[in-house]
Amino acid sequence: MTVYVRALETAVPKTMLIQSEARDVFAAQPGLNRLGSRLVSTCFDSAAIDTRFTAVEELTNDFRADDPQFYDSDSGLLLNPSTKVRNDIFAREATKLFVEAARAALEGCPELDLLDITHLVTVSCTGFFNPGPDYKIVRELGLSPAVQRYHLGFMGCYAAFPALRAAKLFCEADPDAVVLVVCAELCSLHVRTSNDPDTIMGSALFADGAAAAVVTARPDAADKALLQLDHFETVLTPVGEDSMAWNIGDNGFEMVLGNYVPHIIDDHISGALQPLLAREPELAALPYTDIQHWGIHPGGRSILDKVQSRLGLTDRQLVPAREVLRNYGNMSSATVLFVLKHILEQDMEPGESAGGAGSGRICSMAFGPGLTVETALLTKLRQAPGGGKAGHLQQPVAVEAPVA
């Protein structure tokens, strides 16, 4: 049975962070020692990020708050709110992103009725509340109360793939199923000033965003579908369990992102791809560059550099990942869906969907705590609406109005 992605849409908060301005704020904090100051400059400047988006309006110099909780723009000091304060904001602001991304994806399927949605899978690792985002989406959008709801929490940057894999399984079990998958992350809620290298790196990389996909195997979706979901695989690297982690602290969630992570990925990326490509021997026999599209989660510039070098990929094949990193930063689980949307918005090349074994195929991967490597093999069926020759991701919905 063939399972399709019928629509794929994204959303970001309205507040944009300029990387150089954010660097200057972090570099000016009084608690930094000499090494910390050097690391702030190095991490922010080498991240290959120009802009990011945040749900925390306080994190800009233009915003004035009577009772600032994250950043006092008058004094220039970054503050350190409790985990409860951060999570309360998550419950309010993440709901907006979840709902707006879901709404945009459903609006991309005008032939579907809201009551056609049979399953809902939500994903986040940056906060918790209950009734959760799955409940909020059902209520705000008017989905059937009988929708089967599932939430994947605290998995990290790779979680979009387990969500899509679950959607595929639901559709294979029920040919009439229509599954809505929504990832939303507010990573910026957990920023803090510190001399710790992992904390500094997280502050330089992470951002907020959401993405939603409509997945179905209904035959009437085939002529409008954007993607075909072919195969998924999971691999745990033999080393690196302590090199990437995501823990809950008293003042927000704490990132462990060791500088050895890119080297671990470099050493094990080829092995992680083997189970996926073995699903199609004709594809496994090809050089990696013959697989047309590569949807790599941009965990950071050095990770993309290592993947490109190890697999021998062209600069063009890394454009989607590098463009998303440059314009949006690392939005954890939502990020790889931004990369796939970028690929979908590129012009279809002549014969792309009917060419050789690697033509029109997308090999995608994301990395997370463990180290866990999630991989997916997909087929691009048509160009997404709004795409163009430049292949640049269209501006996602900017979430401003509160949810009623």
Side-chain angles (χ1 to χ4, degrees):
M1 177 181 296
T2 304
V3 179
Y4 305 102
V5 171
R6 171 63 185 85
L8 176 58
E9 297 294 342
T10 55
V12 293
K14 67 176 181 177
T15 302
M16 177 187 286
L17 295 178
I18 307 300
Q19 183 78 344
S20 58
E21 295 177 1
R23 175 204 61 208
D24 293 345
V25 168
F26 276 84
Q29 298 309 300
L32 286 180
N33 57 31
R34 289 180 62 186
L35 176 59
S37 296
R38 251 193 3 254
L39 284 173
V40 166
S41 296
T42 300
C43 291
F44 277 77
D45 290 343
S46 65
I49 295 171
D50 292 342
T51 56
R52 292 178 282 167
F53 292 84
T54 176
V56 184
E57 289 183 291
E58 286 181 26
L59 293 178
T60 61
N61 285 317
D62 295 333
F63 187 83
R64 293 292 185 272
D66 294 334
D67 182 23
Q69 296 174 311
F70 285 82
Y71 176 60
D72 184 346
S73 56
D74 291 330
S75 66
L77 291 179
L78 286 165
L79 309 177
N80 197 20
S82 68
T83 300
K84 182 184 187 311
V85 168
R86 298 174 196 259
N87 197 66
D88 287 347
I89 296 172
F90 176 86
R92 182 181 72 245
E93 299 298 329
T95 295
K96 300 175 187 178
L97 279 178
F98 272 110
V99 170
E100 289 306 312
R103 178 181 287 119
L106 292 173
E107 288 176 350
C109 309
E111 75 281 4
L112 290 177
D113 187 276
L114 290 175
L115 297 181
D116 287 332
I117 305 301
T118 58
H119 299 71
L120 172 60
V121 183
T122 54
V123 177
S124 190
C125 69
T126 47
F128 301 92
F129 62 97
N130 201 4
D134 50 323
Y135 175 92
K136 297 292 187 180
I137 290 170
V138 169
R139 287 300 194 194
E140 294 295 335
L141 297 184
L143 305 184
S144 168
V147 165
Q148 296 183 38
R149 296 181 282 129
Y150 304 87
H151 181 72
L152 300 183
F154 222 64
M155 296 185 79
C157 294
Y158 62 80
F161 286 152
L164 289 175
R165 182 170 57 233
K168 184 173 187 285
L169 291 172
F170 293 146
C171 293
E172 288 171 341
D174 177 4
D176 290 326
V178 180
V179 186
L180 177 60
V181 174
V182 194
C183 303
E185 305 285 6
L186 268 59
C187 304
S188 69
L189 284 178
H190 303 289
V191 299
R192 63 178 62 79
T193 182
S194 173
N195 288 298
D196 176 67
D198 290 351
T199 303
I200 292 172
M201 180 61 74
S203 298
L205 283 176
F206 285 95
D208 304 349
V214 176
V215 179
T216 185
R218 289 185 176 185
D220 57 356
D223 62 344
K224 302 181 185 70
L226 302 175
L227 279 175
Q228 179 176 302
L229 300 181
D230 298 319
H231 311 291
F232 294 92
E233 289 289 345
T234 303
V235 170
L236 302 181
T237 61
V239 295
E241 182 176 349
D242 298 327
S243 297
M244 188 186 295
W246 189 224
N247 303 311
I248 299 176
D250 292 335
N251 296 97
F253 298 173
E254 300 170 352
M255 169 61 69
V256 176
L257 190 62
N259 59 14
Y260 196 62
V261 168
H263 301 285
I264 297 172
I265 292 173
D266 185 28
D267 289 342
H268 298 285
I269 191 66
S270 298
L273 282 171
Q274 286 178 358
L276 180 75
L277 298 180
R279 296 287 203 101
E280 298 190 23
E282 183 182 5
L283 206 60
L286 296 175
Y288 293 123
T289 51
D290 282 7
I291 300 174
Q292 186 171 0
H293 302 291
W294 286 82
I296 311 298
H297 168 68
R301 179 193 56 78
S302 57
I303 288 176
L304 294 180
D305 290 345
K306 292 292 186 182
V307 170
Q308 181 174 5
S309 175
R310 174 65 66 175
L311 301 183
L313 303 179
T314 66
D315 289 344
R316 182 176 182 180
Q317 288 171 312
L318 266 290
V319 164
R322 294 194 191 275
E323 285 279 298
V324 168
L325 181 65
R326 180 171 64 85
N327 293 323
Y328 300 98
N330 184 342
M331 300 164 286
S332 192
S333 68
T335 319
V336 74
L337 298 181
F338 276 66
V339 175
L340 292 176
K341 183 171 171 61
H342 189 296
I343 292 171
L344 290 173
E345 289 181 343
Q346 294 173 333
D347 280 345
M348 295 287 289
E349 296 181 6
E352 180 169 354
S353 61
S359 184
R361 306 305 295 276
I362 304 172
C363 190
S364 190
M365 63 185 73
F367 321 97
L371 285 169
T372 301
V373 183
E374 289 279 351
T375 58
L377 192 60
L378 317 165
T379 303
K380 178 179 175 181
L381 300 177
R382 56 185 40 81
Q383 183 179 334
K389 290 184 179 299
H392 292 295
L393 189 69
Q394 299 296 304
Q395 182 66 41
V397 176
V399 179
E400 299 185 53
V403 177

